[in-house]
Amino acid sequence: MIKEPLRQDEVEAFESFRPRLEAIAYRLLGSAAEAEDVAQEVFLRWAAADRARIRVPEAWLTRVLTNLCLTQLRSARSRREVYVGQWLPEPVLGGDPMLGPADTAEQRDSVSTAMLVLMERLTPNERAVYVLREAFALTHAEIAETLDITEVGSQQILHRAKQHLAAERPRADVDQTAARQVVEEFLAAATSGRTEPLVRLLTSDVMGIGDGGGKLPARREPFFGAETVARFLRGLFRPAEAKWALVGGRPDIYAWTANGRPALVVVVHGELVGVMTLEVTAEGISAVLSQVNPDKLGRAARQWAASDHGEPVFSW
């Protein structure tokens, strides 16, 4: 049967769903670039489908997208095993529709950098059920149809996923207005040349992770503890022409948000070259997560270039 070409209203219907599809895919894959690619593949399948037989387009599109993501997740595990250094998700800056809904704590947590790292421990099905239920409020009946499982099976999978995440999930929520203050206080401590101001801001079990992807220097293993992380940050923020040469010049640092958390955006000659996200709890900063792999900064860099971001809070 020859399929009818897409009508304008069918194109518009898909485009109205695209931000939601990309938001689901980003939470499932931890990659903005892959989320964009998967959403585009769904569009191609939508164009090739017998659309007259699709009763609920959003449900059909969500099912196709989720199953494409599950296929990628299963192959991603082998790719992550040979990844150079530590893997972190691509940062998505505040205001990007790919962040998806942010009405509840669960929705905001589900897109935080720390949570995306934790979700790497889940099986693909656990991750899919958790994202669809907690972040997008699908019913277990809808999830069962999407994943071709039973409702009881969906409930059991969600229970297991929550158990795996419970002990280490992000422990607090910081509103947008507090983000700049957090970043400014952190920067003042990091550029003071002393470890003591930093130690006071960090939790005793704070974790540091850097992702350079083999393209830029980054520690190959996570590091822990207030003194250890403070010493590392003191060295990182110490002025040095050799370090600046690696990123193409003297950086400017802006206070922003990424993945719903306070973030330092590092910019050289107007180009975004790094994003450092801070996980903040009631006890202090519990994680410092730095993404400097240029292959993972494409969407953030495009968004940054198109935004009005004001003046830097620190420049060398």
Side-chain angles (χ1 to χ4, degrees):
M1 180 189 301
I2 299 175
K3 301 294 187 300
E4 292 293 325
L6 279 170
R7 303 189 309 268
Q8 183 61 31
D9 65 308
E10 291 174 325
V11 174
E12 291 173 355
F14 180 86
E15 292 304 326
S16 72
F17 294 139
R18 188 189 289 268
R20 178 180 171 89
L21 295 173
E22 289 187 346
I24 294 172
Y26 176 66
R27 283 167 166 84
L28 289 176
L29 301 173
S31 167
E34 290 179 7
E36 291 173 336
D37 290 344
V38 170
Q40 186 61 23
E41 176 61 26
V42 175
F43 174 75
L44 296 176
R45 296 193 181 201
W46 169 246
D50 185 356
R51 295 175 299 282
R53 302 183 62 179
I54 298 174
R55 291 182 293 111
V56 185
E58 185 171 7
W60 185 91
L61 294 168
T62 300
R63 178 170 187 164
V64 172
L65 176 104
T66 302
N67 283 286
L68 286 171
C69 287
L70 287 173
T71 299
Q72 282 201 214
L73 276 175
R74 293 176 183 122
S75 64
R77 292 185 176 252
S78 59
R79 296 200 306 272
R80 303 272 163 80
E81 289 174 1
V82 297
Y83 190 79
V84 178
Q86 289 297 305
W87 179 92
L88 286 176
E90 288 187 47
V92 175
L93 301 183
D96 191 321
M98 190 175 279
L99 292 173
D103 298 325
T104 68
E106 288 77 14
Q107 289 172 336
R108 293 188 292 274
D109 280 350
S110 71
V111 79
S112 76
T113 303
M115 180 59 84
L116 291 172
V117 172
L118 286 178
M119 285 198 289
E120 288 289 302
R121 304 179 185 180
L122 302 179
T123 67
N125 268 18
E126 287 171 346
R127 188 164 182 168
V129 171
Y130 182 84
V131 166
L132 293 174
R133 179 66 184 148
E134 296 296 296
F136 293 91
L138 269 67
T139 66
H140 283 292
E142 291 169 325
I143 294 171
E145 184 176 353
T146 297
L147 298 180
D148 197 20
I149 57 178
T150 66
E151 287 187 53
V152 171
S154 175
Q155 292 166 351
Q156 292 173 337
I157 291 170
L158 179 65
H159 179 70
R160 288 200 304 271
K162 285 186 172 182
Q163 282 186 318
H164 293 322
L165 297 173
E168 298 182 67
R169 66 178 297 159
R171 292 169 287 176
D173 203 12
V174 176
D175 63 45
Q176 295 283 99
T177 58
R180 184 180 179 91
Q181 182 178 344
V182 169
V183 171
E184 289 180 347
E185 191 174 0
F186 174 84
L187 263 175
T191 56
S192 70
R194 298 181 294 121
T195 58
E196 293 82 0
L198 276 166
V199 169
R200 288 196 292 270
L201 294 178
L202 306 174
T203 62
S204 60
D205 60 348
V206 61
M207 172 180 64
I209 299 179
D211 181 348
K215 307 295 177 66
L216 283 174
R219 290 182 63 155
R220 296 184 68 88
E221 299 293 337
F223 46 105
F224 301 88
E227 288 286 350
T228 299
V229 173
R231 286 196 299 271
F232 171 80
L233 291 169
R234 182 187 63 188
L236 182 66
F237 284 90
R238 182 179 293 128
E241 294 289 347
K243 284 188 295 188
W244 295 334
L246 291 172
V247 293
R250 294 184 174 231
D252 296 320
I253 299 180
Y254 293 79
W256 212 253
T257 59
N259 297 74
R261 298 298 192 257
L264 289 70
V265 174
V266 184
V267 176
V268 175
H269 302 312
E271 181 180 351
L272 184 150
V273 298
V275 177
M276 177 181 285
T277 306
L278 306 177
E279 286 290 335
V280 182
T281 72
E283 293 77 34
I285 296 170
S286 63
V288 180
L289 309 168
S290 303
Q291 182 58 263
V292 293
N293 182 350
D295 294 342
K296 293 185 178 184
L297 295 172
R299 186 177 177 104
R302 292 195 301 274
Q303 186 188 2
W304 185 259
S307 69
D308 179 11
H309 34 70
E311 297 297 318
V313 294
F314 187 84
S315 298
W316 273 283

